[in-house]
Structure formats: structure tokens, C-alpha cells
Amino acid sequence: MDYTDDACMNIFTEGQSTRMQALFAAQGIRESFVTCDFIAQVCGLQPSISGPGLLCSASAYIMQNVPAGSTVTWTASPAHLFSHSSGQGNTTPSISPASSSARGMGTLTFSVTGECGEATFAKEVFVGTPNAALIVTASHWGPPIVREIDPSMTTYAEATYKQVSVPWGHNHFTEEYEWDIWNTHSNWSIVPQHGGGPPFNAAVEIDLWQNPLPPRQTIYVRARNPCGWSLWQEIFWDVVGSCGFCAFTVYPNPAAEELRVRLDDSGTKNADNKKMATYTISIYGESGNLVWEKETDSQEEHIPTAGWREGIYQVRIHHPEGEFSQKVIVRH
């Protein structure tokens, strides 16, 4: 190969240009780049994959408008979702879920190879019933996501999915949600808020008139698509103003330099009324991370907050006689 005699040596010589052009000329080793019409065929016929975006049972997927003389291979991934994960010479494979418990997002890929080139086409397919682990509920989407039930006012909750890049928007073909509270008395109710749907029952009203209020309540939710119902998802919600054991005072609120937790006289003695009972104070940040914790038998604890970030914190106290929970604001 010739080189130009200059400082950069970055200019093609006439000899270089001639040799490169010869690659694509008649009888050249890259002649097909110029004469082959495979790409033109693919673009002109607009090949596509037809078939359902939701796979519940055996279904046919068709690679349409394949150029004449081409060979076709296909793969389905991840393999654990599908009954067959690959094949060749077939533009109409029949594919099923690997099992009744298979669920998740998969990809069906066709490779079309002609005389002088290859083109690849893909289709996303959701397999099976909704994945309960991906159901998320909240009373406020934040950030951060909040799950709180406030008995003093109407609490509205909504369900959706963590993954949003799926067919039919963000719901994995979900047509309906179902909510429930188990092992409770009749002082709870969940009332669907009917919207345009689907999905139906994605939004509900949660009512509570229990006394005393529990510090936390477990709410169950599941989702249904045309393949059937998902498993139940167990989600914990905090109850605002809950007071399983109301012997503590947390002040000031908001706090700046210091937060104080005081145990009232009714909780200072143990069951024998002889000495101070030991209890644990735990404080969590907005993301649920543990910020401060101490086991103590003191009647009052002083907690320095000067170095804390401004925001909302959850104070939780574990006492032999019960639980106490309160939200506080740190503002400098």
C-alpha cells in the first residue's frame, strides 16, 4: 500500500484509492456489497413478526415477508420461560410457556439470512400471569414512596408495576387488581375506586376505625391478566397516629439541634414495679435506612440531630409493654 510523504501521512494516494475501489468492482471480493439486493428486499417488503404479545398457551409466531431463498433461524430468551428456545428453517414456530409457573418478559428473535447478508428482527413477549413480586402499592408516589393509612382522613392507595417497559403500557396486560386484609376484625374496609380501566381496582379507598390503632397493617394485593391471577403480594403499611403503647413523648417537632424522647411515668417501671424497664429507640430516614438506635432504661433520651439531613424521620420504640411510632421533621 502506498503512503503519502507528508507529516501526518493521512491522505489517500491515487494507488490506495484504486485498490479500495477494486474491492467493490466486478469480480472484486466485495462485489456483493454493490450488487446484492438483500437489504433492498428486506426494506421493501418490511418483514415483521406476527403473534400475541402475551403468551398464555401454545401460540404461533409468524415471520412475514421473508425474501425468497433466505433461511430463517429463531431464538426465544430467556430459555427458562419458553417450551422451546431455538429452531431453524421455520418461519412459523409454535411456542408455549415452559410451565404453569413461568412468568416474565422474554424476547423472540428471528434471523433472516440471504445470499449476501443477514437481518435480525425481535419481538418482546410477556409470558404467563403477572409477577406478584413486581406489584407496588403506595398512598404517595414521592419520592420517596409512602405507604401510610391515616384513620383521621380518607386514605387512597394505588397499585402498579416496578417495570414500565412492557407491552400495553406499564401493567403486564393487567386487567384487574384485588386487595385484601387478612386476620382482622370487621373494622377495616377496602373500597374500589372505579375508574375508566383497565386495569380495574388499581385505586382503592382504605378505611380504618380500629381502636387502639395497630402500628402497622399488612395489606395483600394481586393482579390478573388474561392468563390468570398472580400470587398474593404481602405489603406492610404504617398507620398514622398508631399507638399500641402510648407512654412516650417525642419533642420538639420539628427538631433542629436535638430531639428528645421521654418515657412517661406509666412506663418507667417493669412488671414488678421495681426498676426502669429497658426499651429500644430506632430512628429511620425517608428511604427506610436506620439512622440512630439505642437500647436504654433512661426516662429521657437526648438525640443530637444537628448533623442530620433535613427531612422526615420515623421514630419507633420497642418497649416490653408495647410499640410506639411517630414521625418527626428535622429542619435546620
Side-chain angles (χ1 to χ4, degrees):
M1 185 70 74
D2 298 329
Y3 293 96
T4 56
D5 187 14
D6 58 74
C8 295
M9 300 185 71
N10 65 342
I11 302 174
F12 291 126
T13 66
E14 291 185 3
Q16 287 176 312
S17 299
T18 301
R19 301 187 80 176
M20 286 187 288
Q21 292 170 358
L23 296 174
F24 306 100
Q27 307 302 316
I29 61 174
R30 295 290 184 264
E31 176 189 5
S32 62
F33 279 27
V34 177
T35 61
C36 180
D37 64 350
F38 177 73
I39 300 301
Q41 293 179 38
V42 168
C43 293
L45 293 174
Q46 297 180 346
S48 61
I49 305 171
S50 67
L54 175 64
L55 183 63
C56 299
S57 58
S59 299
Y61 291 85
I62 304 173
M63 184 68 224
Q64 298 177 318
N65 300 326
V66 176
S70 303
T71 60
V72 177
T73 60
W74 61 269
T75 59
S77 62
H80 71 271
L81 290 178
F82 301 93
S83 57
H84 301 87
S85 60
S86 63
Q88 61 182 2
N90 186 358
T91 59
T92 313
S94 179
I95 304 175
S96 306
S99 67
S100 59
S101 61
R103 58 179 62 88
M105 181 60 67
T107 304
L108 180 60
T109 304
F110 281 85
S111 295
V112 181
T113 305
E115 179 181 340
C116 50
E118 179 180 341
T120 301
F121 305 87
K123 180 181 180 68
E124 285 192 331
V125 179
F126 187 81
V127 179
T129 60
N131 188 344
L134 298 181
I135 300 174
V136 180
T137 64
S139 55
H140 177 69
W141 291 103
I145 291 178
V146 176
R147 300 183 185 93
E148 289 184 340
I149 302 169
D150 189 345
S152 66
M153 58 187 297
T154 300
T155 298
Y156 293 102
E158 187 176 358
T160 187
Y161 271 85
K162 291 181 182 177
Q163 294 185 349
V164 297
S165 178
V166 295
W168 286 14
H170 64 284
N171 286 294
H172 290 193
F173 295 88
T174 299
E175 298 179 333
E176 180 183 5
Y177 289 95
E178 184 178 5
W179 303 65
D180 205 352
I181 300 176
W182 299 345
N183 301 322
T184 63
H185 302 292
S186 59
N187 42 18
W188 285 83
S189 70
I190 298 181
V191 182
Q193 301 298 294
H194 299 288
F200 297 101
N201 300 336
V204 297
E205 174 187 330
I206 302 175
D207 296 314
L208 163 65
W209 53 92
Q210 183 171 335
N211 188 22
L213 297 173
R216 175 175 280 194
Q217 177 61 46
T218 304
I219 295 179
Y220 299 85
V221 62
R222 63 176 181 168
R224 181 180 62 81
N225 66 15
C227 296
W229 284 100
S230 71
L231 301 176
W232 288 97
Q233 166 76 307
E234 180 182 68
I235 303 174
F236 296 102
W237 284 57
D238 291 322
V239 178
V240 176
S242 61
C243 188
F245 173 62
C246 295
F248 286 91
T249 303
V250 180
Y251 69 100
N253 192 8
E257 303 298 318
E258 182 182 77
L259 181 68
R260 299 185 181 186
V261 176
R262 179 176 177 79
L263 176 61
D264 298 337
D265 291 341
S266 60
T268 57
K269 305 295 182 179
N270 65 0
D272 298 327
N273 201 34
K274 293 180 179 179
K275 63 178 181 179
M276 193 80 69
T278 300
Y279 59 95
T280 302
I281 305 172
S282 305
I283 302 179
Y284 297 87
E286 292 184 355
S287 61
N289 57 305
L290 182 63
V291 176
W292 190 92
E293 187 172 60
K294 182 179 181 179
E295 183 175 324
T296 180
D297 60 2
S298 173
Q299 186 168 357
E300 182 168 304
E301 284 291 335
H302 294 211
I303 304 167
T305 59
W308 293 13
R309 296 179 60 179
E310 292 189 343
I312 301 174
Y313 293 81
Q314 183 83 27
V315 179
R316 296 179 182 173
I317 299 175
H318 304 271
H319 190 278
E321 296 183 20
E323 306 286 329
F324 177 86
S325 176
Q326 181 177 324
K327 285 194 172 183
V328 297
I329 299 174
V330 172
R331 184 180 298 154
H332 302 302

